């Protein structure tokens, strides 16, 4: 969650697991868009000596649909290569890494960036260096300086970064997957007759103090839009070659054949809590243009039917809506088509009638000086579901949407339950220890393996 371990097969393949995707007009360069794709979920910072890294055998992609057909018109593809300077040591680094080209940085990664448009491909960056993981005060003493050396300006307005960053997505996983027992509202939750007492409590950010691997690219708006169509669709993928076999002589896997998609992510939480378990793996292999196959799960989300049962008497109007079998046009607009003109005064990010799960970003809407973490439902048209910024509270927005808070905008006869506009897992960006930044690549400094959360330094030994 947002798409961490969201499907049975990809949960076994974290290197290819796309966890979050962000798309927003850059606040510090408003003539550009920033696209961020995160992979390798729930990284424990002290996970050495084989610290986390991108897969050399994975093709990572960030895709843009600029004509509304649910197919990629522009793709940014990233291929990584790992280099080891000294294979006769177990160490990731043999001394302090004080520069990205330090000889002490033993196991390092580089990548090539290819832009694919139609049948044409052009490589715009080669042998681009990634920073090390953040290990500790002796190994990475000036981490932000070294990480800054991994920001590459490639010309034509393209800036890229690929490497470890702090997880910015905040979510109370423990409460959500304990039958949606949201802590601020758990006094209203059914106990199923069990001898337990539930009382309201603050949310717990279960992704705090964990890291991800992030691919970030900033490109001119003019490079990803077509005239008269400022709204784009964005999603990310990971692909593996179709055949893998074990090379016994060299003790390693070898891959061959064409690349096949194994992971996909557009809007947060769709494959997590909208698609049923039996469809999740299939969804991960298909392009957004095939999402008509899954539209029924958006129109009739299981969680909407569960909320009135889990919170008895709290969602009577939602219960009646579900019982009537009413299709959720509000969710279809948010997740599958974009919001048409006339629903919200002065706003649209509609890309057309094709049902496709993509983050939809109207690039003509500038960043706001005073953002609201609830985005569009908080009166901030520059935020989710108009794209997604790194600090947007997508969990609260989507839970409220599923609960029916937004439905009156498209169905004037429906009255949302009072709780629909209040329900939340109780978290904010303040729940993240390493805050996001206002400049590229926007995600915060990754947590160090040496500095464990809430650790009290021990007293020095007495000799």
């Amino acid at each position: 969650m947002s798409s961490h371990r969201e499907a049975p097969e990809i949960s076994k393949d974290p290197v290819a697991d796309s966890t979050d995707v962000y798309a927003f007009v850059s606040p510090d360069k408003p003539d550009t868009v920033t696209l961020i794709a995160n992979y390798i979920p729930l990284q424990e910072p002290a996970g050495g000596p084989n610290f986390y890294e991108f897969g050399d055998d994975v093709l990572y992609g960030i895709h843009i649909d600029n004509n509304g057909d649910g197919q990629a018109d522009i793709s940014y593809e990233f291929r990584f290569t790992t280099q080891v300077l000294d294979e006769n040591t177990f160490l990731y680094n043999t001394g302090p890494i004080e520069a990205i080209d330090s000889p002490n940085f033993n196991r390092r990664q580089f990548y090539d960036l290819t832009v694919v448009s139609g049948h044409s491909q052009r490589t715009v960056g080669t042998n681009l260096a990634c920073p090390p993981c953040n290990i500790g005060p002796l190994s990475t003493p000036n981490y932000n300086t070294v990480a800054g050396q991994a920001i590459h300006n490639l010309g034509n307005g393209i800036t890229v970064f690929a490497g470890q960053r702090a997880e910015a997505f905040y979510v109370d996983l423990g409460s959500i997957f304990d039958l949606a027992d949201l802590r601020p509202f758990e006094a209203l939750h059914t106990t199923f007759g069990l001898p337990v007492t539930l009382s309201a409590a603050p949310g717990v950010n279960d992704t705090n103090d964990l890291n991800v691997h992030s691919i970030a690219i900033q490109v001119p708006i003019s490079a990803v839009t077509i005239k008269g169509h400022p709204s784009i669709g964005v999603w990310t993928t990971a692909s593996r070659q179709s055949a893998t076999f074990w090379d016994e002589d060299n003790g390693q896997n070898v891959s061959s054949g064409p690349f096949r998609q194994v992971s996909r992510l557009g809007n947060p939480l769709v494959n997590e809590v909208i698609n049923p378990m039996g469809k999740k793996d299939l969804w991960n292999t298909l392009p957004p243009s095939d999402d008509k196959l899954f539209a029924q799960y958006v129109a009739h989300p299981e969680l909407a039917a569960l909320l009135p049962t889990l919170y008895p008497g709290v969602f009577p109007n939602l219960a009646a809506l579900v019982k009537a079998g009413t299709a959720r046009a509000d969710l279809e607009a948010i997740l599958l088509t974009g919001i048409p003109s006339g629903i919200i005064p002065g706003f649209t990010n509609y890309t057309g009638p094709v049902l496709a799960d993509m983050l939809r970003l109207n690039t003509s809407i500038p960043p706001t000086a005073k953002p609201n973490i609830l985005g569009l439902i908080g009166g901030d048209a520059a935020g989710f579901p108009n794209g997604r910024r790194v600090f947007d509270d997508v969990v609260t927005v989507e839970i409220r949407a599923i609960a029916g808070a937004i439905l009156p905008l498209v169905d004037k006869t429906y009255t949302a339950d009072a709780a629909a506009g209040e329900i939340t897992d109780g978290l904010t960006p303040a729940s993240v220890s390493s805050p996001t930044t206002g400049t590229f690549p926007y995600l915060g400094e990754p947590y160090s393996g040496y500095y464990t959360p809430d650790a009290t330094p021990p007293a020095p030994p007495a000799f």
Side-chain angles (χ1 to χ4, degrees), residues 330 339 342-345 376-377 404-412 414:
D330 56 331
I339 299 172
I343 303 295
I344 298 174
L376 195 57
I377 69 170
I406 303 172
L407 183 56
L409 292 174
V410 298
D411 182 355
K412 305 299 183 183
Y414 181 77

Side-chain angles (χ1 to χ4, degrees), residues 155 252 370 392 412:
Q252 62 184 11
K370 296 181 179 180
D392 282 338
K412 305 299 183 183

Side-chain angles (χ1 to χ4, degrees), residues 264-408:
R264 168 164 68 108
L265 178 59
N267 281 291
L269 311 179
V270 168
N271 207 28
E272 195 95 23
V273 300
I274 298 291
N275 292 332
M277 191 173 295
K279 300 293 184 181
K280 290 175 181 289
D281 292 329
L282 173 62
W283 186 92
N284 264 334
T285 67
L286 297 175
S289 56
D290 283 342
D291 284 341
K292 59 183 179 294
L293 299 174
F294 310 93
Q296 61 180 307
Y297 308 116
V298 175
H300 303 280
E302 181 182 11
L303 183 56
L306 290 173
L307 285 175
T309 301
L310 298 174
Y311 293 88
V314 177
F315 297 100
N317 295 343
L318 180 63
L321 184 79
V322 172
K323 185 176 181 180
T326 304
R328 295 293 300 274
D330 56 331
L331 299 180
E332 290 177 335
I334 292 170
L335 301 175
L336 297 182
T337 65
I339 299 172
S341 298
I343 303 295
I344 298 174
F347 175 81
T348 179
N349 64 351
Y350 183 70
T351 56
V354 174
L355 302 178
D357 172 46
M358 305 181 290
L359 271 182
R360 287 171 171 82
L361 174 65
N362 185 334
T363 61
S364 70
I365 297 176
T368 178
K370 296 181 179 180
N372 188 307
I373 63 171
L374 297 180
L376 195 57
I377 69 170
D380 179 2
F384 182 78
N386 186 36
R388 180 186 175 190
R389 300 167 300 196
V390 293
F391 51 78
D392 282 338
D393 187 359
V394 295
V395 172
T396 294
V397 172
E398 292 205 346
I399 290 176
R400 291 182 182 180
I402 289 172
I406 303 172
L407 183 56

Side-chain angles (χ1 to χ4, degrees), residues 29-237:
K29 293 183 178 180
D31 60 341
T32 70
V33 292
T34 295
L35 312 172
I36 302 174
N38 290 345
Y39 295 87
I40 316 177
L42 307 175
Q43 295 179 20
E44 164 57 47
N50 296 297
F51 288 95
Y52 299 92
E53 61 190 18
F54 293 106
D56 290 357
D57 53 352
V58 177
L59 174 64
Y60 299 94
I62 299 176
H63 311 282
I64 295 171
D65 169 22
N66 58 23
N67 62 10
D69 63 358
Q71 296 279 352
D73 297 298
I74 302 168
S75 295
Y76 298 98
E77 295 185 343
F78 298 79
R79 290 295 312 273
F80 290 83
T81 302
T82 302
Q83 297 181 8
V84 179
L85 298 185
D86 183 359
E87 294 186 346
N88 294 314
T89 178
F90 73 90
L91 293 168
Y92 179 83
N93 55 292
T94 57
I97 303 173
E98 298 184 85
I100 202 167
D101 59 353
S102 168
N104 294 328
F105 186 4
N106 189 43
R107 186 177 179 89
R108 53 185 73 189
Q109 284 197 303
F110 300 86
Y111 62 98
D112 294 348
L113 168 59
T114 300
V115 180
V116 180
S117 180
H119 297 292
S120 69
Q121 298 186 21
R122 59 189 177 94
T123 300
V124 297
T126 59
N127 208 39
L128 304 172
C130 299
C133 291
N134 193 3
I135 301 169
L138 297 184
S139 295
T140 48
N142 53 341
Y143 188 82
N144 282 334
T145 297
V146 176
Q149 295 168 1
I151 297 175
H152 304 284
N153 297 307
L154 305 182
N156 296 316
I158 299 176
T159 303
V160 292
F161 171 91
Q164 190 180 59
R165 302 309 290 169
E167 174 65 270
F169 175 59
Y170 45 96
V171 59
D172 191 339
L173 291 170
S175 72
I176 288 175
F177 291 123
D178 187 22
L179 296 172
D181 182 17
L182 302 175
R183 295 180 212 268
F185 295 86
E186 64 180 353
L188 303 174
H189 197 287
T190 181
T191 63
F192 300 98
L194 297 172
V196 297
T197 300
L198 301 177
S199 57
V204 175
N205 183 14
D206 290 308
T207 62
N208 197 32
D209 302 312
L210 299 175
N211 296 322
V212 293
H213 264 54
S214 184
I215 297 173
I217 183 167
Q218 194 171 75
V219 296
I221 291 174
S222 59
V224 296
T225 56
I226 57 178
K227 187 176 181 180
H229 297 273
S231 293
I232 59 174
V234 179
W235 70 100
T236 186
T237 61

